[in-house]
Amino acid sequence: MRTGNEPRTARSALRARFWLSVWGMFWAIFGTAVFILTGHPGWAAACAVLWLVVTVDMTMILHHIHQGPHYQPGPDIPPYEPPRHHGR
């Protein structure tokens, strides 16, 4: 069902984002370990920061998945209207 406001009410493919985060976490951990072992502390730090970002993103994705149909609705649930704030 199209309502014309899809950019505002678009839903994220959370399961796809989760598996991409798993993939990113694997490579961030691998990169951190390899750069530590080869003596490149700058690159190891960059991979460690990326690992932290991916971990935070994965935590938020899992939180949204566990919140239920508001964030991960099925195909039979129509788009919801975002709450309207009065006073703007």
Side-chain angles (χ1 to χ4, degrees):
M1 176 172 86
R2 297 219 174 250
T3 61
N5 62 356
E6 282 78 17
R8 288 189 326 192
T9 60
R11 297 177 179 138
S12 177
L14 293 175
R15 286 182 182 87
R17 282 184 56 198
F18 172 76
W19 288 110
L20 287 171
S21 292
V22 169
W23 181 252
M25 184 174 287
F26 169 77
W27 283 108
I29 292 169
F30 178 77
T32 303
V34 166
F35 286 126
I36 286 173
L37 293 173
T38 58
H40 294 90
W43 285 106
C47 286
V49 169
L50 181 61
W51 183 3
L52 177 66
V53 169
V54 170
T55 301
V56 170
D57 185 47
M58 186 181 296
T59 302
M60 292 304 300
I61 292 167
L62 288 172
H63 175 71
H64 286 258
I65 287 173
H66 288 291
Q67 282 185 319
H70 179 73
Y71 281 97
Q72 191 66 13
D76 57 332
I77 298 174
Y80 66 92
E81 285 292 321
R84 300 199 187 274
H85 298 288
H86 296 292
R88 281 190 180 191

